[in-house]
Amino acid sequence: MFKLIHAEFYKIFHRPAFYILLTVLPLLAIDLVLIAIRGRNAGTMTGAFDVAPQMLSYPAALLPFVTELTLGEELRDRTVKNTIEYGTGRGIYFVSKLISTILIGMLFILLVYGAYFAAAAFSLPPGKGVSPGLARAIFSRIGTAAAVYTAASAMSIFLLTIFNRSVLAIFTYYGLFYISELFLDVFRLSRLSDYTLHAQISSLTGEDPPNLGFILAVSAVTFLVFSIGGLAVLRKKDLA
Amino acid sequence: MNSFIIETLGVSKRYRGFTAVSDMDIQVKKGAIYALVGQNGAGKTTLLKMLCGLTPLTAGKIRLFGESTARGLQNARTRTGAMIETPSFLPYLSAKNNLEYLRLQRGSGSKRSVSAALDFVGLGDTGTKAFSKFSLGMKQRLGLALAIMDGAELLILDEPINGLDPIGIKEFRDIILHMNKENGTTVLISSHILGELSQVATDYGFIDHGRLLEHITASELEEKCRRSADSQSQKEDISLEDYFIDLIGGGKADV
């Protein structure tokens, strides 16, 4: 497993698209500092902390591009056969891709928030001051969002194992993630809309204090469902 | 313990409404170069995919190096090099980086084994050229480099000389023969170019419509071809191609 993850990072570090994301994402984060200047507690570090949770919905939108880097291209270019024909179990392969996706996703999140808070600290005055309570509240939201992204990674990888075309998987992901509540309404299942990943992210970006335990539980169940589903599909898949 | 490196016992593969391989029993001895001969769609690639774990079996059992459990087969496959259909690699990586990526995945050998494999197939000087810019022949060579990189005891090669020029075909043949004679590597190979197969094979398996029609050694085949030519009062022995066409019933052989 470790060997596969190590190799995954070797591959990613030789991927031009990775460096494009590595450059563009922090720049976008720094851009958001400018928004913080216009927002509440205008032009202060406190304002930057106020705006930070609103960024939590963006990583979910970027996740399909990370799964494309890890698993999507392997399925599309049919390079997965080079791994499986050497005797690597499909389960090990699937889990290693999932872990790699999560690690790379976390790397991006750290980078984005690192750039954001560093830019804010360098360019903005402290304002009313950042209390430990405010920092704890913000970082606990970011940490809980990581669990939602982990579940979204499993969903994205599950879709890639079903569809051989990455584009189809990406669009289905966006559909499932962003407009699942709409579908639930159509099928008169709106009582389930509190359990979607999008609802959890909305809760984390909202003004009201989120129920972190509930969000973690929904993320864990979603992660398990899509991981088991993806593994089952991959086990039966013709890989050559 | 028997000396078979590969055994399939009643192996079948059915897709929706179509049987690609039906109740196939083949046995490949250690040190053999076993040629799978069959028309397009006969089931050769499907059989090789099943041996490599790329497609699940519908029925039957596979034994590699005497191992038939799921874990045993996984271990056996680490002793196997394979090239199934067109070689596939990451298009933006060079030959060296592609092999290094797979070496890291496998945790096998050293960086020198990558360079040695590339030198062996004549791709040692491709530098940073991306795989996407390789000719078909170069892609085939890289596929072979991957197959031999870890000192495989068994090579499973599906149409390995497709796209190679005559010099490439000869070099390929020399590599196979070298590995077989010097290292005792067992080879299971399928090809449409029967003349080429006849220069390396020690055993033949003729398959048609997913079934094994006949297994025969090279010397038995030679003898049969000679006898067949005598019975037809021909001056020259009949070829492997003629024998195969005759075997499948004289139909238009797409070989």
Side-chain angles (χ1 to χ4, degrees), chain B residues 63-84:
Chain B
R63 196 173 285 149
L64 295 176
F65 296 98
E67 303 278 359
S68 58
T69 61
R71 178 56 63 88
L73 283 171
Q74 283 179 6
N75 289 335
R77 286 182 183 120
T78 63
R79 300 160 69 184
T80 303
M83 191 170 134
I84 306 295

Side-chain angles (χ1 to χ4, degrees), chain A residues 74 77-86 93 239-240, chain B residues 52 54 83-88 106:
Chain A
E74 297 257 5
D77 295 327
R78 302 195 306 163
T79 51
V80 55
K81 68 181 179 184
N82 296 331
T83 309
I84 301 300
E85 67 194 16
Y86 188 70
Y93 180 80
L239 292 175
Chain B
C52 292
L54 298 177
M83 191 170 134
I84 306 295
E85 296 185 313
T86 314
S88 303
R106 298 171 176 192

Side-chain angles (χ1 to χ4, degrees), chain A residues 3-4 6-7 10-11 14-15 73-74 77-79 81-87 89-90 238-240, chain B residues 15 49 52-55 74 77-78 82 84 86 88-93 97 100-101 104-107 150:
Chain A
K3 288 181 285 191
L4 290 171
H6 176 203
Y10 176 86
K11 182 185 85 175
H14 282 82
R15 184 85 160 94
E73 67 175 7
E74 297 257 5
D77 295 327
R78 302 195 306 163
T79 51
K81 68 181 179 184
N82 296 331
T83 309
I84 301 300
E85 67 194 16
Y86 188 70
R90 292 178 185 222
D238 195 336
L239 292 175
Chain B
Y15 295 101
K49 280 188 202 173
C52 292
L54 298 177
T55 191
Q74 283 179 6
R77 286 182 183 120
T78 63
I84 306 295
T86 314
S88 303
F89 290 94
L90 295 166
Y92 51 87
L93 289 184
N97 287 345
E100 179 62 12
Y101 166 56
L104 289 172
Q105 267 193 352
R106 298 171 176 192
D150 297 307

Side-chain angles (χ1 to χ4, degrees), chain A residues 13-233:
Chain A
F13 289 146
H14 282 82
R15 184 85 160 94
F18 174 73
Y19 292 97
I20 294 170
L21 283 174
L22 218 54
T23 312
V24 171
L25 292 180
L27 288 177
L28 284 174
I30 292 167
D31 243 20
L32 286 166
V33 172
L34 298 174
I35 296 171
I37 290 171
R38 290 160 187 267
R40 283 184 309 162
N41 297 304
T44 65
M45 191 63 190
T46 321
F49 266 81
D50 279 343
V51 170
Q54 290 169 30
M55 291 162 57
L56 289 173
S57 59
Y58 301 124
L62 290 168
L63 257 176
F65 297 99
V66 178
T67 51
E68 167 60 17
L69 291 178
T70 54
L71 181 64
E73 67 175 7
E74 297 257 5
L75 291 171
R76 187 189 60 236
D77 295 327
R78 302 195 306 163
T79 51
V80 55
K81 68 181 179 184
N82 296 331
T83 309
I84 301 300
E85 67 194 16
Y86 188 70
T88 304
R90 292 178 185 222
I92 298 273
Y93 180 80
F94 181 86
V95 174
S96 76
K97 289 292 177 189
L98 190 55
I99 292 174
S100 301
T101 302
I102 292 165
L103 290 176
I104 293 163
M106 296 304 163
L107 178 72
F108 281 133
I109 291 168
L110 283 177
L111 201 70
V112 167
Y113 274 101
Y116 175 78
F117 284 117
F122 275 113
S123 60
L124 301 174
K128 283 186 286 185
V130 179
S131 66
L134 176 62
R136 199 179 309 118
I138 299 303
F139 285 117
S140 63
R141 285 188 189 218
I142 295 172
T144 309
V148 182
Y149 304 145
T150 301
S153 302
M155 184 166 85
S156 180
I157 284 194
F158 166 76
L159 293 171
L160 277 171
T161 57
I162 288 187
F163 301 113
N164 281 327
R165 289 175 180 275
S166 301
V167 175
L168 203 54
I170 289 172
F171 277 105
T172 311
Y173 169 87
Y174 286 137
L176 275 178
F177 194 92
Y178 288 102
I179 54 174
S180 53
E181 283 127 323
L182 188 70
F183 286 118
L184 290 171
D185 279 348
V186 169
F187 293 106
R188 295 171 190 273
L189 294 167
S190 43
R191 65 184 180 281
L192 295 178
S193 41
D194 286 347
Y195 300 95
T196 65
L197 291 180
H198 186 245
Q200 312 317 310
I201 285 289
S202 299
S203 167
L204 287 168
T205 57
E207 300 265 327
D208 299 331
N211 181 347
L212 300 184
F214 178 76
I215 296 170
L216 286 172
V218 170
S219 300
V221 171
T222 310
F223 174 80
L224 282 176
V225 167
F226 284 111
S227 296
I228 293 167
L231 196 54
V233 173

Side-chain angles (χ1 to χ4, degrees), chain B residues 173 177 194-201 204:
Chain B
R173 184 202 314 147
L177 288 172
L194 300 188
E196 194 51 43
L197 282 183
S198 65
Q199 294 191 52
V200 293
Y204 294 91

